Amino acid sequence: AQWLRRWHAMDICRPATISIRRNAIENHLIPTLGPVHLRLLTTLQIDAAVSQWLAKSFAPATIRSTLATLHTAYESAITAGLV
């Protein structure tokens, strides 16, 4: 959760993209994956999160944009040497 918020604060995008990413982080990623440390995050945990979102009838576009946000944030963490 800490990295997602810090990464989002440094994010330089169009306002609409920032809004979409903030929604994904605050409403989907942190509630589902927040307690998991970035280095310990596994594909099984991500798959479980997707399953939870599907069970809650999230729209496919919402799931895609949430995973895209996670992917971009994780790549930034790798670049920053955090993973």
Side-chain angles (χ1 to χ4, degrees), residues 4 61 70:
L4 286 170
L70 177 61

Side-chain angles (χ1 to χ4, degrees), residues 3 36-42 70 73-74 77-78 82-83:
W3 170 250
V36 179
H37 191 278
L38 196 59
R39 289 186 181 171
L40 303 177
L41 185 61
T42 67
L70 177 61
Y74 198 81
I78 291 169
L82 301 174
V83 178

Side-chain angles (χ1 to χ4, degrees), residues 12-67:
I12 300 172
C13 294
R14 292 179 298 166
T17 303
I18 289 173
S19 177
I20 290 168
R21 287 179 176 174
R22 180 179 341 155
N23 180 58
I25 290 167
E26 296 298 332
N27 297 322
H28 309 310
L29 293 171
I30 289 176
T32 310
L33 300 171
V36 179
H37 191 278
L38 196 59
R39 289 186 181 171
L40 303 177
L41 185 61
T42 67
T43 55
L44 290 176
Q45 291 165 315
I46 295 168
D47 289 345
V50 171
S51 293
Q52 287 179 26
W53 300 331
L54 288 170
K56 293 179 181 178
S57 300
F58 283 19
T62 300
I63 294 172
R64 277 193 303 275
S65 68
T66 300
L67 290 174

